[in-house]
Structures are given as structure tokens and as C-alpha cells.
Amino acid sequence: MPATIIVGLQWGDEGKGKATDLLAESVAMVVRYQGGDNAGHTIVLGDAVFKLHLVPSGVLYPHITPVIGNGVVVNPQTLLDEMAMLQSRGVATGNVRVSEAAHVIMPYHVALDGAMEARLAGDEIGTTHRGIGPAYADRAWRVGLRMADLLEPRALRARLERVLPEKNAVLAQTHGGEPFDLDELVARTTDWGERLRPHIADTTALVQRALSKGLHVLFEGAQGTLLDLDHGTYPYVTSSNPVAGGACTGGGIGPLQVDEVIGVMKAYATRVGSGPFPTELADETGRHLLEKGREFGTTTGRRRRCGWFDAVPLRRAVAVNSVTSIMLNKLDILSGLPQVRLCVAYRIDGHVVEEFPSSGDLLARAEPVYETFDGWDADLGGVRRSDQLPPAARRYVDALEQLAGVPISIVSVGADRTATILRRERPRRPPLSVPALAADPSTASPAPAGPGGTPAAAGDGEPSAP
Ligand code: GDP
Ligand code: IMO
Ligand code: MG
């Protein structure tokens, strides 16, 4: 089974690192397709804990080629430091590959990110200050530098000569910041290029070759659907597309090469940074989730805001990602709560709303409509089969599955790889069939499969194919 995408269904930190790790055995290549070192993916292997920001989680396995795709923005210093950290812990990094077309996060991007956040004081996005937004803005503005540029010092200097005066002017005049020196920047970027030369490659060709050989390629998303630049809670989002479609543009595949999309979510909600969060809890339960769930940012150490699971954006996330199955993490963290609640709709200005509003203002006014479930006390850390879960926990998982409309195939009850319940088969998209040259009514194909392999619903009022 060649191509699987792992995508966060909430506001990030759903446990995508654990999901990648769980599938690692069968996988030949793991590709990061968007974001940068704003991500923080934690993998627990026995007593060892690895926190990775830029290098794909697959790096921990010698049989996997870790690939940083063209859709990622790369801070070369972070990449070098992360590879050095991994080497010092006995993890080989010689086969890490980074796309020649990936954009470079330059020191002025980091400075501008911090300066713009400071300027917005009180109304800031709450970014990770890693230069993500400014680097993607320059990519769209066509004034960015790409990894391949680091290998051409003369051309690099010429490009920086054009770009730097404007960056320095904005930094100095608008933000009162320190300008960057051209010679120093050229020296620094040239040094990055020399050190990263063996890793810089045409990663689209690598990915396509692996797929054509029938190897299993995993696309590891960073952040989550609700932080997506298009589908998230704009402007409180990141500057890339974590949704599954991002794996096509940022990983070098076409949409029909995707066989499986695993949506990762946790049994409650968290959010780092600013922006609306209808189910946020500022009470004892919020503290329970924060402390028991150790909800502190992997990248910035910030407290994550915590709340009940919100099924309103879940339906949207399943749809826009073509999720084929779900991995539900951190069910163990809900143990010990007298009741568990699940938001199934919003009340906005007196109206009950079931569709996730695209307007941030509406979302900010949304009051959650909850379904309430009995809690459970048992420690779930040792549970390995669904039928060993307390009945109340099973009812909660069943309700989440019902609301998602696709199977919850994997349930996680602890950070370690072994603390996992394989609950159901993971359905995949059926193999492509070659279209017939002429339609023959006597051999008309059955209804196409919908998400989860179930036949698509008919007669629901939506337009249907002629
Ligand atoms: P990611 O960014 O989506 O990879 O998620 P993070 O690594 O930022 O945050 C998830 C945290 O939860 C990590 O510390 C994981 O080790 C941990 N984790 C993942 N699954 C479980 C689980 O089922 N139970 C518990 N207790 N911790 C988990
Ligand atoms: P992983 O991959 C959670 C959030 C920031 C901020 C917003 C924009 O570990 O799930 P940015 O620095 O990207 O411009 O910040 O996005 N954010 C994340 N929140 N998990 C992440 O990554 C995040 N990466 C960015 O907190 O609200
Ligand atoms: Mg994280």
C-alpha cells in the first residue's frame, strides 16, 4: 500500500509523532510536506523521548528515508542542530533529504515574526516566533530563497543584494529593529549550503521513484486542520496547508496517488496561541487535562489551552482531508473525570448551528451545545483491546466515531508505542480502475465508495452525476 497521509484534525499536537512511529515498520520513506520548525513531534521509545521539530519522525528508524519536502520552510541552522542532536544520541542522519525547492527561513524572517507579534501586542497571533509566516509570505511574493540557492554563493549574494535592503528598512523603520549585514548573511548562508550539500535533493523525484517501486511512503503533516491557512480559524492559523491536499503540493504527489488518510485527534481539545476556542475550559477540568495530559508546547514550552472535544469542526476536518480512518489519542487522560462532554453543535446569537463557521467572529461568539457522558475511573494505560475498555469509555469512543462518520481504527492510551489498541481494520481508497472506453449499461459500476469505504449516500438532495 504505497501512500498514506497522517494529518492532524484539531489545532495540532494531536499525537501525529506517535502515529508516524506506529506505522514506521511498514514504511520506506517519511515525508514532511509543510510547516517548519514551529512543529514539535514527540516520540517515546521505551525510556527515550525524542522531540523533533523539522526532521521527519521516521529518522529514528534506519530503514526509513526521512524527506523534507518542497512545501516545508527550512531553517538551515535548526536542521543542522537537530541532526547533530540526533547523531549525539546515536541516530544516523546521513540519509535525511531536503528538497532543493523548499524555502529557507532567513534570520530576517525570524526577526520580522517577533517584531510583528510585538507590534500586535494584545492582539497577536501567538506564533512560535520561528519566522514561519514571513518565510511563506516571501515565497508567495516570489522573493524567497530556496535550498538550492544556498549552493550558489554568487547568485545568492545577488539575490540578497536585491531583497535585504527592503527587509532591513522594514525592520529598522517600522519596528525599530537591528538591520542585517549583507556580507555576514552571505557567509552564513554559504556555510549552511556547504554543510547541507549532501542532503539537498530533488525530493519529488525520490518520492515518485519510491511510489513507482511500490514502496510505502508516509506523509507526515505538521500542525492541524484548524490551523490550516485556508480551512482553519483565520487569522489565528499557521501560514501553510496542513490538510491532506498539502501533501500533494508540498510532498510531490498527485491526489490520485493517495491511498489512505489517517486523521489524528485526541480525546479532548487543546490549542496553543490565540484565537477562538469554543469548548475551552478555565476550570478544574481544564486543569485536569493540562496537568494529566502534560499539555505544554513542545516547541515553545507554553501552556496549551485545554477543553472538551469539539465535534463541529471534526465533521469539516474529515471532509476536507478525505479521512479514511482515525487514530484517537490520549483517551487515558480522561480517566478520573466524573463526566465527559462532547460538543455537538454551537449556539450562535440564539441559533443552533451544526456547520463549522468560517468567520472567526461568529466562532468567537459560539457557545457549545454539549452531550454529556458518564466518566470512568480506571487507568487505561494497560488496556490493549477495545473490549477491555470500561463501558463508559467505549460509549464515548463510539459516539466520536458516529459523529466523525469514519472508523476510529486506532485508539491510544499512553505515549509509548505499545500503549495502543488496534480497534478496527484501516480502510483504504479502493484501487483505481481504468475507465471503460464506452459506457455499457449492462456492466454499470456500483456506487463509488465514500469516506471509510462505505457506499456514498444517494438521494440526499445534492446534485448527482448524470
Ligand atoms: P504532535 O505534534 O501531533 O506530534 O503531538 P505532540 O508530540 O506535540 O503532543 C502529543 C503528546 O502526547 C506527546 O508528548 C506524546 O508523547 C503524548 N501522547 C501521544 N499519545 C498519547 C496517549 O495516548 N496518551 C498519553 N498519555 N500521551 C500520549
Ligand atoms: P505540531 O506539528 C500546535 C500555532 C502557534 C500559533 C499559530 C501560528 O506540533 O502539531 P506559526 O509559528 O506557525 O506562525 O504560529 O500556529 N502552531 C502550533 N500549535 N502545534 C503545532 O505544531 C503548531 N505549529 C504552530 O501556536 O497559534
Ligand atoms: Mg506538537
Side-chain angles (χ1 to χ4, degrees), residues 12-18 40-44 51 223 264 266 292-295 298 304 328-333 412-415 419:
D13 303 324
E14 300 92 345
K16 298 175 292 292
K18 172 165 173 171
H41 298 177
T42 313
I43 296 119
V44 180
K51 291 181 184 294
Q223 292 86 48
V264 183
K266 50 190 166 188
K292 189 165 183 192
R294 298 196 193 155
E295 296 293 355
T298 315
R304 294 173 181 156
L328 173 68
N329 286 330
K330 295 194 128 175
L331 187 62
D332 53 307
I333 303 305
S412 169
V413 289

Side-chain angles (χ1 to χ4, degrees), residues 138-454:
D138 275 3
R139 180 177 86 153
W141 215 3
R142 297 158 297 186
V143 294
L145 296 173
R146 306 202 293 176
M147 290 304 288
D149 296 328
L150 301 184
L151 304 177
E152 301 287 344
R154 290 228 324 247
L156 183 67
R157 173 178 282 275
R159 285 179 71 84
L160 276 173
E161 272 170 350
R162 284 199 299 276
V163 172
L164 193 59
E166 182 166 341
K167 298 296 167 196
N168 277 341
V170 173
L171 269 169
Q173 289 162 24
T174 311
H175 301 291
E178 287 296 313
F180 286 86
D181 179 66
L182 176 69
D183 291 333
E184 198 277 325
L185 267 192
V186 172
R188 203 183 326 179
T189 43
T190 306
D191 176 55
W192 285 337
E194 278 316 305
R195 292 162 70 193
L196 290 171
R197 186 180 288 276
H199 300 278
I200 298 175
D202 175 353
T203 56
T204 298
L206 285 180
V207 168
Q208 288 295 339
R209 268 203 297 279
L211 288 172
S212 70
K213 285 189 214 156
L215 298 175
H216 188 181
V217 179
L218 190 66
F219 295 84
E220 180 186 43
Q223 292 86 48
T225 304
L226 302 181
L227 288 173
D228 186 277
L229 182 56
D230 290 277
H231 296 285
T233 50
Y234 191 89
Y236 300 102
V237 292
T238 192
S239 301
S240 65
N241 290 113
V243 292
C248 295
T249 52
I253 49 167
L256 298 185
Q257 287 181 297
V258 180
D259 297 273
E260 183 186 25
V261 180
I262 301 180
V264 183
M265 61 194 207
K266 50 190 166 188
Y268 50 94
T270 64
R271 172 161 210 175
V272 204
S274 325
F277 182 4
T279 61
E280 184 170 11
L281 296 168
D283 59 5
E284 263 310 300
T285 308
R287 220 175 353 266
H288 169 110
L289 299 174
L290 175 80
E291 284 167 10
K292 189 165 183 192
R294 298 196 193 155
E295 296 293 355
F296 295 91
T298 315
T299 301
T300 57
R302 287 178 291 178
R303 286 160 80 101
R304 294 173 181 156
R305 300 155 66 194
C306 297
W308 294 121
F309 191 96
D310 191 345
V312 181
L314 172 65
R315 290 187 279 263
R316 176 64 64 98
V318 166
V320 299
N321 290 297
S322 296
V323 169
T324 52
S325 69
I326 287 175
M327 175 173 181
L328 173 68
N329 286 330
K330 295 194 128 175
L331 187 62
D332 53 307
I333 303 305
L334 298 183
S335 294
L337 291 171
Q339 288 184 326
V340 176
R341 307 182 96 183
L342 185 51
C343 173
V344 292
Y346 300 141
R347 188 164 286 110
I348 304 177
D349 303 335
H351 301 285
V352 173
V353 174
E354 294 187 349
E355 198 67 48
F356 189 60
S358 57
S359 147
D361 287 345
L362 282 181
L363 193 60
R365 295 207 299 278
E367 292 164 36
V369 177
Y370 285 119
E371 257 179 39
T372 302
F373 295 78
D374 291 337
W376 59 89
D377 258 333
D379 175 6
L380 305 186
V383 174
R384 296 293 176 267
R385 290 205 329 256
S386 262
D387 59 7
Q388 295 168 337
L389 285 171
R394 275 210 301 271
R395 276 195 291 277
Y396 181 64
V397 176
D398 289 345
L400 281 173
E401 186 174 56
Q402 189 76 34
L403 288 162
V406 291
I408 295 179
S409 296
I410 305 170
V411 175
S412 169
V413 289
D416 197 80
R417 172 198 275 219
T418 56
T420 304
I421 301 167
L422 300 179
R423 184 169 175 267
R424 289 192 200 291
E425 281 280 297
R426 292 185 352 240
R428 283 146 213 165
R429 185 175 59 74
L432 288 177
S433 57
V434 180
L437 286 179
D440 175 355
S442 65
T443 58
S445 55
T454 49

Side-chain angles (χ1 to χ4, degrees), residues 3-86:
T4 297
I5 300 174
I6 285 182
V7 61
L9 298 182
Q10 296 163 299
W11 279 288
D13 303 324
E14 300 92 345
K16 298 175 292 292
K18 172 165 173 171
T20 305
D21 180 60
L22 197 66
L23 301 186
E25 245 159 61
S26 73
V27 165
M29 189 177 269
V30 175
V31 185
R32 270 278 309 268
Y33 57 85
Q34 45 69 232
D37 57 346
N38 49 351
H41 298 177
T42 313
I43 296 119
V44 180
L45 296 174
D47 290 340
V49 179
F50 290 89
K51 291 181 184 294
L52 297 172
H53 299 287
L54 196 49
V55 178
S57 307
V59 71
L60 302 177
Y61 300 90
H63 68 277
I64 292 179
T65 305
V67 172
I68 297 173
N70 60 279
V72 176
V73 281
V74 178
N75 183 325
Q77 192 58 54
T78 307
L79 180 56
L80 288 162
D81 291 347
E82 198 158 287
M83 289 199 295
M85 176 277 289
L86 286 163

